[in-house]
Amino acid sequence: MKTKFTFLFALLLVGFTGFAQQDEECMTKLSIFHEYVKAKNYDAAYEPWMAVRNKCPKFNNAIYIDGEKILEAKIEKAQGAEKSAFINDLVLLYEQRAENFPSKTPKGEYAAKACQLQYDNREILNKTDEELYNCFDAAYKLDKATFTNPKSLYTYFSLMVDLYDAKKKSAGELFDKYDDIVEKIDSEVENYSAKLNPLIEKEEAGTPLSGNEPAYKKYYESYLLNYDIISAGMDKKLGDRANCDNLIPLYEKDFEANKTNETWVRRAVAKMYEKDCTDSPLFVKLVNAQHELNPSANSAYYLGVLKDKEGKSSEAVKFYQQAINLETDNYKKSKLYYRVGDKFKKSGSFGQARNYFREALKLNPSNGRPYLAIAAMYAASANSCGDTPFNKRAVYWLAAQEAAKAGNVDATLKKASAQSVASYNAKAPQRSEIFSCGCSGKVINIGCWINGSVTVPNI
């Protein structure tokens, strides 16, 4: 037993940050509470843990790592005043960790955790929306870079909407906060997409992932899925509060004061475009102001939108291409390719649209939306691209194959991909028809803009 204790003690010294002059009592009790935590005996761990926490707060980061688990277990079991006390103590523990181990405590992350804990227990703590919003706002401003938790970002915005509805925040403050958090989410999506893309490319090349790569892939995909969920949640929460009837008067009123504020103008343009307020003369004024302030990929794209509105398609395409050429960031360039492709798709120029969608995929292969768009265009062309009734419906197999790719590369689209695949396969020739024509395994060439082929399934 003594040998086991000595070995464990040595491991602790190696595994955690300590000091040259260690306190013997703290060493012993840290070893004791750490073993209890490993065994999930949190009640037994509590007393020795508190002793070390109070006597040697800078002794070892295990005080805070294990302490969080101990207090979470206490909170789960407690009721009433005792529960409130443990919650408040966990908030205090986060603050103490930041004070005693700043290099191991990302400020925004832990400040947001403290706010989320209080929000999740707001009723028992009697916290108001205003108090909770101020908590999240302070955490966000303290260290925006490490305030990345999807749930907390959503909670932060949700509280802003609630305060706006209670007439404690203005429409301008609401839209500014929406734009700010959307940009934050987009930067995180770009970050995780950049990490995921090499793994997707490796798999698509037929090379199995190795080592820790499958775990990393799952980790990156989980974050992208969560950011996708909260983005949809934010849009739902914002709802009609950001319709054209509300946006146009607000931006009209604030335009003169902000027409040289590049961030304000850029966000106003993006919001009006997103909410389809592009028929307003104000949109024209904002786009021109943005281009004058900083000619960029974004401003060139919106100038193309204006030309499209005027019916000058060829001029619009020149601006769209200029936007793509100006953009140097692959993630943003991919989004531009997708946007332009979607415009060609809506106008019925499917061949050109597919070219843009494929370019978007090259730059950001973990985004499956271009695959779904291509699949939809194939399906829409089934009747015009096949030369016989059977071959016309065979186009749906091609659409299903393309839709399946979306779910393979993009975890956020697995459900939509599966639904599309099922829908397209249901419209394709069925087993009885394949049997009747005796064409199982036959390759069917598909003409017109698709210019591809599909193999009849074997039955």
Side-chain angles (χ1 to χ4, degrees), residues 259-455:
K259 63 184 180 182
T260 58
N261 181 333
E262 187 180 332
T263 300
W264 184 91
V265 172
R266 173 175 52 78
R267 288 178 171 179
V269 170
K271 180 64 68 192
M272 290 191 69
Y273 177 77
E274 175 194 338
K275 296 300 178 180
D276 200 22
C277 307
T278 55
D279 288 332
S280 167
L282 176 63
F283 182 72
V284 178
K285 188 161 63 171
L286 285 165
V287 169
N288 287 323
Q290 182 183 13
H291 196 66
E292 287 174 14
L293 285 170
N294 181 20
S296 64
N298 272 338
S299 65
Y301 174 79
Y302 291 122
L303 286 172
V305 171
L306 293 182
K307 292 300 179 184
D308 258 339
K309 288 283 181 184
E310 295 171 10
K312 299 176 181 177
S313 299
S314 59
E315 292 183 45
V317 171
K318 289 179 183 177
F319 277 114
Y320 294 146
Q321 194 57 52
Q322 184 184 86
I324 289 167
N325 293 339
L326 284 169
E327 185 55 71
T328 56
D329 181 281
N330 280 350
Y331 175 77
K332 294 181 177 67
K333 190 187 285 277
S334 174
K335 290 177 73 173
L336 281 171
Y337 270 119
Y338 180 82
R339 276 183 172 184
V340 178
D342 194 50
K343 285 197 165 292
F344 280 119
K345 174 176 173 281
K346 288 175 179 175
S347 70
S349 300
F350 290 166
Q352 285 178 288
R354 182 175 60 183
N355 292 337
Y356 280 92
F357 288 139
R358 284 178 172 170
E359 290 298 324
L361 286 166
K362 288 178 186 177
L363 294 169
N364 188 18
S366 61
N367 177 15
R369 285 173 176 78
Y371 284 124
L372 289 182
I374 294 170
M377 294 191 299
Y378 286 167
S381 303
N383 198 47
S384 56
C385 287
D387 56 0
T388 68
F390 186 93
N391 289 357
K392 288 177 188 293
R393 292 173 58 208
V395 175
Y396 288 109
W397 282 319
L398 197 61
Q401 290 172 13
E402 206 72 18
K405 294 175 186 176
N408 292 338
V409 304
D410 192 335
T412 70
L413 296 177
K414 287 192 181 296
K415 183 177 179 181
S417 170
Q419 289 173 340
S420 295
V421 169
S423 174
Y424 296 142
N425 280 332
K427 295 174 182 177
Q430 302 304 298
R431 289 176 63 88
S432 60
E433 296 170 273
I434 298 171
F435 181 79
S436 296
C437 74
C439 53
S440 177
K442 178 184 176 184
V443 175
I444 296 175
N445 292 315
I446 299 166
C448 70
W449 74 271
I450 294 178
N451 192 28
S453 63
V454 64
T455 302

Side-chain angles (χ1 to χ4, degrees), residues 15-249:
F16 299 114
T17 302
F19 292 90
Q21 298 298 320
Q22 304 285 7
D23 182 287
E24 187 175 348
E25 181 185 355
C26 289
M27 284 183 180
T28 303
K29 289 189 174 180
L30 182 137
S31 173
I32 292 169
F33 80 66
H34 183 65
E35 279 301 296
Y36 279 134
V37 168
K38 283 170 62 179
K40 297 186 178 180
N41 188 350
Y42 300 113
D43 287 337
Y46 184 77
E47 186 177 336
W49 168 70
M50 280 295 287
V52 178
R53 176 190 180 188
N54 290 330
K55 185 176 183 182
C56 314
K58 295 182 182 292
F59 180 75
N60 198 297
N61 199 28
I63 297 167
Y64 305 97
I65 296 171
D66 287 351
E68 184 174 353
K69 297 173 185 175
I70 293 167
L71 287 176
E72 284 176 342
K74 290 286 189 181
I75 290 167
E76 189 175 346
K77 291 181 180 179
Q79 299 291 329
E82 185 183 36
K83 188 182 185 84
S84 296
F86 283 129
I87 293 167
N88 288 326
D89 198 29
L90 182 51
V91 171
L92 176 62
L93 186 73
Y94 291 145
E95 293 172 358
Q96 291 173 336
R97 174 176 172 151
E99 179 184 346
N100 294 308
F101 289 88
S103 65
K104 296 180 180 292
T105 310
K107 293 178 182 178
E109 177 185 342
Y110 277 85
K113 283 176 77 168
C115 298
Q116 189 68 52
L117 176 67
Q118 293 172 80
Y119 177 85
D120 292 341
N121 295 278
R122 58 194 177 281
E123 292 180 5
I124 194 170
L125 296 175
N126 293 315
K127 292 287 185 179
T128 66
D129 287 348
E130 203 158 16
E131 288 174 320
L132 291 166
Y133 176 81
N134 290 338
C135 181
F136 280 104
D137 194 47
Y140 193 71
K141 291 173 179 174
L142 175 68
D143 185 12
K144 181 177 176 179
T146 63
F147 189 131
T148 61
N149 184 275
K151 180 181 178 181
S152 293
L153 285 167
Y154 176 79
T155 305
Y156 181 27
F157 177 70
S158 179
L159 286 164
M160 167 58 86
V161 175
D162 293 341
L163 290 173
Y164 168 78
D165 289 345
K167 302 190 184 308
K168 293 181 179 178
K169 295 290 183 182
S170 68
E173 289 174 308
L174 172 64
F175 299 147
D176 281 347
K177 188 50 58 184
Y178 174 86
D179 291 335
D180 192 20
I181 296 177
V182 163
E183 288 176 8
K184 171 63 178 173
I185 291 170
D186 197 47
S187 71
E188 293 301 324
V189 169
E190 180 176 2
N191 172 44
Y192 285 107
S193 296
K195 293 177 179 178
L196 179 60
N197 283 338
L199 303 180
I200 296 294
E201 289 173 329
K202 185 175 180 179
E203 285 187 319
E204 289 196 311
T207 306
L209 299 182
S210 58
N212 292 327
E213 288 178 336
Y216 280 124
K217 182 189 176 193
K218 186 176 180 180
Y219 175 73
Y220 302 149
E221 287 180 336
S222 69
Y223 261 91
L224 288 170
L225 180 60
N226 285 328
Y227 284 127
D228 188 67
I229 290 169
I230 67 162
S231 292
M234 284 177 58
D235 286 338
K236 185 176 180 181
K237 180 83 176 181
L238 185 63
D240 288 338
R241 296 171 184 85
N243 60 26
C244 297
D245 290 340
N246 290 331
L247 288 174
I248 293 171

